[in-house]
């Protein structure tokens, strides 16, 4: 248990323990890498209810073995598909849930693009802000408490986040209130240091003498006439665009040089999950269906259905998505590592982060060296 030794590989920063503590004995504290960690305070008030241990998604090894239903597909609206990271399964789910008056909880950029955090909202505008993978850890803030309040008021909520956040929420809400909660977890390569991300953004702003207008990881653009999903596009308010398939932030994120320590010990890198739905990229599906080769760059979503609640939504999802069921074992292939094992710890991680965060160094130059 994390609180026994404060070993950083045992805390994912999901906030479940802090939000459940009835005596406010836990606060979330940022380390120098910008990751939030739970810390016990006000120990004299602690009533030893152990709720903090019970809700920790990293403290509970599950005995869960239900095989999921597995689908590949994409949004039928080409424009929506192009604007999303994979096949726009999230937007499709959101559209269906919106019809049933759901609230949504997902990750958005702060207005200045220097942070990412989760918000709860039922506005369409906010749902579109949730769209797109942000390759930095999202701060859950007080969203778990907000979701509980919404559920207590008979509202329906769709949550989407990393699997550790999804499990943290599941344990925080418990079985009594979860009837109207749909929990969607991502396939996850791991989350990057918020401080490294911020340093990169501030450096770009300085270099281009402008504030950021938008950022898009995995942008889908033409590369020498051929569609590629490997672009990182940063638009500046002064009209300059930084568009590259070799963005130093994206590349060092992919290498795991800025990952949260617990990501290399993640228990949720499996298709057997006890949440409602998992979404990710269906890497490797073209090996089974060669005709799908042309679809890969446009984005093919992987959708794993783990629960009855998830299953109920599939028929409706067909209204807005092209969907085909396949054996779930198709999702386990050489190109989809994060459903069979966590990302390996990069031995240069610590050195990379401390070099990047040294005020005398630049992100770009450090990344080039690595
Ligand atoms: C950090 C990260 C790593 C990932 N690694 C993999 C991987 O290794 N393999 C794979 O197949 N798929 C991975 N994914 C998932 C994939 O990139 C797509 O997000 C997923 O397929 C959904 O795509 P979409 O087109 O349906 O919707 P999108 O519009 O891309 O999905 C947006 C949803 O993702 C959530 N989200 C975005 N950024 C974050 C964040 N930082 N933290 C928590 N939630 C976030 C939003 O809340 C929103 O609900 C990763 C996503 C993230 C954020």
């Amino acid at each position: 248990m994390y609180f026994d030794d404060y070993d950083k590989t045992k805390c994912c920063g999901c906030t479940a323990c802090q939000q459940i503590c009835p005596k406010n004995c836990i606060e979330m504290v940022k380390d120098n890498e910008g990751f939030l960690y739970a810390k016990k305070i006000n120990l004299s008030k602690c009533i030893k209810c152990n709720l903090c241990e019970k809700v920790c998604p990293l403290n509970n090894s599950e005995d869960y073995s239900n095989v999921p239903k597995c689908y590949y597909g994409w949004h039928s609206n080409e424009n929506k598909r192009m604007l999303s990271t994979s096949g726009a399964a999230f937007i499709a789910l959101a559209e269906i849930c919106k019809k049933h008056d759901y609230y949504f909880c997902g990750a958005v950029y702060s207005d200045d693009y220097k942070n990412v955090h989760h918000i709860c909202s039922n506005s369409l505008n906010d749902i579109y802000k949730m769209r797109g993978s942000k390759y930095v850890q999202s701060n859950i803030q007080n969203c778990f408490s907000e979701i509980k309040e919404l559920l207590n008021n008979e509202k329906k909520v769709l949550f989407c986040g990393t699997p550790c956040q999804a499990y943290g929420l599941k344990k925080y809400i418990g079985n009594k209130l979860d009837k109207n909660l749909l929990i969607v977890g991502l396939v996850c390569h791991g989350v990057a240091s918020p401080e490294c991300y911020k340093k990169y953004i501030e450096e770009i702003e300085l270099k281009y003498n402008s504030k950021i207008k938008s950022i898009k990881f995995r942008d889908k653009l033409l590369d020498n006439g051929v569609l590629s999903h490997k672009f990182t596009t940063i638009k500046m308010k002064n009209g300059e665009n930084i568009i590259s398939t070799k963005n130093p932030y994206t590349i060092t994120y992919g290498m795991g040089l800025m990952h949260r320590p617990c990501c290399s010990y993640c228990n949720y890198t499996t298709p057997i999950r006890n949440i409602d739905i998992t979404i990710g990229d269906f890497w490797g599906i073209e090996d089974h269906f060669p005709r799908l080769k042309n679809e890969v760059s446009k984005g093919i979503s992987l959708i794993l259905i783990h629960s009855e609640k998830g299953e109920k939504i599939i028929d409706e999802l067909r209204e807005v998505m092209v969907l085909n069921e396949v054996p779930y074992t198709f999702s386990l292939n050489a190109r989809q590592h994060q459903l069979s094992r966590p990302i390996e710890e990069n031995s240069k991680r610590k050195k990379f982060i401390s070099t990047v965060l040294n005020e005398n160094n630049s992100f770009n130059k450090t990344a080039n060296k690595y």
Side-chain angles (χ1 to χ4, degrees), residues 35-47:
F35 292 117
L36 287 173
Y37 288 92
K39 185 182 171 201
K40 283 201 171 166
I41 51 164
N42 301 332
L43 280 179
S44 57
K45 288 194 198 156
C46 174
I47 51 170

PDB file of all heavy atoms in Angstrom, residues 35-47:
ATOM      1  N   PHE A  35       3.598  15.726 -11.091  1.00  0.00           N
ATOM      2  CA  PHE A  35       2.627  14.658 -10.805  1.00  0.00           C
ATOM      3  C   PHE A  35       2.055  14.847  -9.402  1.00  0.00           C
ATOM      4  O   PHE A  35       2.791  15.164  -8.466  1.00  0.00           O
ATOM      5  CB  PHE A  35       3.302  13.280 -10.869  1.00  0.00           C
ATOM      6  CG  PHE A  35       3.745  12.877 -12.246  1.00  0.00           C
ATOM      7  CD1 PHE A  35       5.094  12.672 -12.521  1.00  0.00           C
ATOM      8  CD2 PHE A  35       2.827  12.682 -13.262  1.00  0.00           C
ATOM      9  CE1 PHE A  35       5.512  12.282 -13.782  1.00  0.00           C
ATOM     10  CE2 PHE A  35       3.229  12.285 -14.537  1.00  0.00           C
ATOM     11  CZ  PHE A  35       4.588  12.087 -14.792  1.00  0.00           C
ATOM     12  N   LEU A  36       0.743  14.610  -9.273  1.00  0.00           N
ATOM     13  CA  LEU A  36       0.107  14.712  -7.954  1.00  0.00           C
ATOM     14  C   LEU A  36       0.227  13.389  -7.204  1.00  0.00           C
ATOM     15  O   LEU A  36       0.017  12.316  -7.781  1.00  0.00           O
ATOM     16  CB  LEU A  36      -1.382  15.033  -8.121  1.00  0.00           C
ATOM     17  CG  LEU A  36      -1.732  16.447  -8.565  1.00  0.00           C
ATOM     18  CD1 LEU A  36      -3.225  16.551  -8.850  1.00  0.00           C
ATOM     19  CD2 LEU A  36      -1.326  17.464  -7.503  1.00  0.00           C
ATOM     20  N   TYR A  37       0.583  13.487  -5.914  1.00  0.00           N
ATOM     21  CA  TYR A  37       0.642  12.301  -5.054  1.00  0.00           C
ATOM     22  C   TYR A  37      -0.183  12.556  -3.805  1.00  0.00           C
ATOM     23  O   TYR A  37      -0.201  13.681  -3.277  1.00  0.00           O
ATOM     24  CB  TYR A  37       2.094  11.985  -4.659  1.00  0.00           C
ATOM     25  CG  TYR A  37       2.894  11.443  -5.814  1.00  0.00           C
ATOM     26  CD1 TYR A  37       3.620  12.303  -6.634  1.00  0.00           C
ATOM     27  CD2 TYR A  37       2.884  10.085  -6.115  1.00  0.00           C
ATOM     28  CE1 TYR A  37       4.329  11.818  -7.730  1.00  0.00           C
ATOM     29  CE2 TYR A  37       3.588   9.592  -7.208  1.00  0.00           C
ATOM     30  CZ  TYR A  37       4.305  10.458  -8.009  1.00  0.00           C
ATOM     31  OH  TYR A  37       4.996   9.975  -9.089  1.00  0.00           O
ATOM     32  N   ALA A  38      -0.835  11.479  -3.312  1.00  0.00           N
ATOM     33  CA  ALA A  38      -1.623  11.608  -2.093  1.00  0.00           C
ATOM     34  C   ALA A  38      -0.685  11.701  -0.892  1.00  0.00           C
ATOM     35  O   ALA A  38       0.364  11.047  -0.851  1.00  0.00           O
ATOM     36  CB  ALA A  38      -2.530  10.387  -1.947  1.00  0.00           C
ATOM     37  N   LYS A  39      -1.073  12.555   0.071  1.00  0.00           N
ATOM     38  CA  LYS A  39      -0.272  12.675   1.286  1.00  0.00           C
ATOM     39  C   LYS A  39      -1.219  12.751   2.476  1.00  0.00           C
ATOM     40  O   LYS A  39      -2.209  13.496   2.437  1.00  0.00           O
ATOM     41  CB  LYS A  39       0.568  13.944   1.198  1.00  0.00           C
ATOM     42  CG  LYS A  39       1.517  14.075   2.349  1.00  0.00           C
ATOM     43  CD  LYS A  39       2.311  15.360   2.256  1.00  0.00           C
ATOM     44  CE  LYS A  39       3.079  15.561   3.536  1.00  0.00           C
ATOM     45  NZ  LYS A  39       3.468  16.933   3.738  1.00  0.00           N
ATOM     46  N   LYS A  40      -0.916  11.963   3.517  1.00  0.00           N
ATOM     47  CA  LYS A  40      -1.774  12.014   4.702  1.00  0.00           C
ATOM     48  C   LYS A  40      -1.430  13.251   5.527  1.00  0.00           C
ATOM     49  O   LYS A  40      -0.252  13.537   5.786  1.00  0.00           O
ATOM     50  CB  LYS A  40      -1.599  10.749   5.538  1.00  0.00           C
ATOM     51  CG  LYS A  40      -2.340   9.561   4.929  1.00  0.00           C
ATOM     52  CD  LYS A  40      -2.622   8.472   5.944  1.00  0.00           C
ATOM     53  CE  LYS A  40      -3.551   7.434   5.320  1.00  0.00           C
ATOM     54  NZ  LYS A  40      -3.634   6.201   6.078  1.00  0.00           N
ATOM     55  N   ILE A  41      -2.444  13.984   5.934  1.00  0.00           N
ATOM     56  CA  ILE A  41      -2.261  15.151   6.809  1.00  0.00           C
ATOM     57  C   ILE A  41      -3.285  15.017   7.953  1.00  0.00           C
ATOM     58  O   ILE A  41      -4.082  14.078   7.950  1.00  0.00           O
ATOM     59  CB  ILE A  41      -2.485  16.495   6.046  1.00  0.00           C
ATOM     60  CG1 ILE A  41      -3.835  16.437   5.300  1.00  0.00           C
ATOM     61  CG2 ILE A  41      -1.348  16.792   5.092  1.00  0.00           C
ATOM     62  CD1 ILE A  41      -4.342  17.773   4.852  1.00  0.00           C
ATOM     63  N   ASN A  42      -3.283  15.936   8.862  1.00  0.00           N
ATOM     64  CA  ASN A  42      -4.267  15.918   9.971  1.00  0.00           C
ATOM     65  C   ASN A  42      -4.425  14.521  10.572  1.00  0.00           C
ATOM     66  O   ASN A  42      -5.547  14.037  10.773  1.00  0.00           O
ATOM     67  CB  ASN A  42      -5.667  16.362   9.490  1.00  0.00           C
ATOM     68  CG  ASN A  42      -5.632  17.742   8.906  1.00  0.00           C
ATOM     69  OD1 ASN A  42      -4.792  18.563   9.293  1.00  0.00           O
ATOM     70  ND2 ASN A  42      -6.525  18.008   7.977  1.00  0.00           N
ATOM     71  N   LEU A  43      -3.320  13.831  10.810  1.00  0.00           N
ATOM     72  CA  LEU A  43      -3.410  12.429  11.238  1.00  0.00           C
ATOM     73  C   LEU A  43      -4.225  12.236  12.511  1.00  0.00           C
ATOM     74  O   LEU A  43      -4.836  11.194  12.715  1.00  0.00           O
ATOM     75  CB  LEU A  43      -2.003  11.847  11.416  1.00  0.00           C
ATOM     76  CG  LEU A  43      -1.355  11.435  10.087  1.00  0.00           C
ATOM     77  CD1 LEU A  43       0.036  10.878  10.314  1.00  0.00           C
ATOM     78  CD2 LEU A  43      -2.224  10.432   9.336  1.00  0.00           C
ATOM     79  N   SER A  44      -4.263  13.280  13.355  1.00  0.00           N
ATOM     80  CA  SER A  44      -5.009  13.147  14.615  1.00  0.00           C
ATOM     81  C   SER A  44      -6.510  12.976  14.344  1.00  0.00           C
ATOM     82  O   SER A  44      -7.249  12.444  15.159  1.00  0.00           O
ATOM     83  CB  SER A  44      -4.763  14.368  15.493  1.00  0.00           C
ATOM     84  OG  SER A  44      -5.144  15.515  14.780  1.00  0.00           O
ATOM     85  N   LYS A  45      -6.958  13.429  13.125  1.00  0.00           N
ATOM     86  CA  LYS A  45      -8.389  13.322  12.810  1.00  0.00           C
ATOM     87  C   LYS A  45      -8.750  11.972  12.178  1.00  0.00           C
ATOM     88  O   LYS A  45      -9.924  11.645  12.007  1.00  0.00           O
ATOM     89  CB  LYS A  45      -8.787  14.424  11.836  1.00  0.00           C
ATOM     90  CG  LYS A  45      -8.831  15.807  12.447  1.00  0.00           C
ATOM     91  CD  LYS A  45      -9.561  16.704  11.475  1.00  0.00           C
ATOM     92  CE  LYS A  45      -9.283  18.157  11.759  1.00  0.00           C
ATOM     93  NZ  LYS A  45      -9.490  18.976  10.569  1.00  0.00           N
ATOM     94  N   CYS A  46      -7.727  11.195  11.753  1.00  0.00           N
ATOM     95  CA  CYS A  46      -7.965   9.934  11.028  1.00  0.00           C
ATOM     96  C   CYS A  46      -8.717   8.944  11.917  1.00  0.00           C
ATOM     97  O   CYS A  46      -8.335   8.697  13.060  1.00  0.00           O
ATOM     98  CB  CYS A  46      -6.624   9.350  10.590  1.00  0.00           C
ATOM     99  SG  CYS A  46      -6.783   7.719   9.841  1.00  0.00           S
ATOM    100  N   ILE A  47      -9.817   8.380  11.387  1.00  0.00           N
ATOM    101  CA  ILE A  47     -10.620   7.441  12.189  1.00  0.00           C
ATOM    102  C   ILE A  47     -10.340   5.984  11.772  1.00  0.00           C
ATOM    103  O   ILE A  47     -11.093   5.070  12.110  1.00  0.00           O
ATOM    104  CB  ILE A  47     -12.138   7.753  12.073  1.00  0.00           C
ATOM    105  CG1 ILE A  47     -12.532   7.852  10.590  1.00  0.00           C
ATOM    106  CG2 ILE A  47     -12.502   9.011  12.838  1.00  0.00           C
ATOM    107  CD1 ILE A  47     -14.032   7.907  10.361  1.00  0.00           C
TER     108      ILE A  47
END
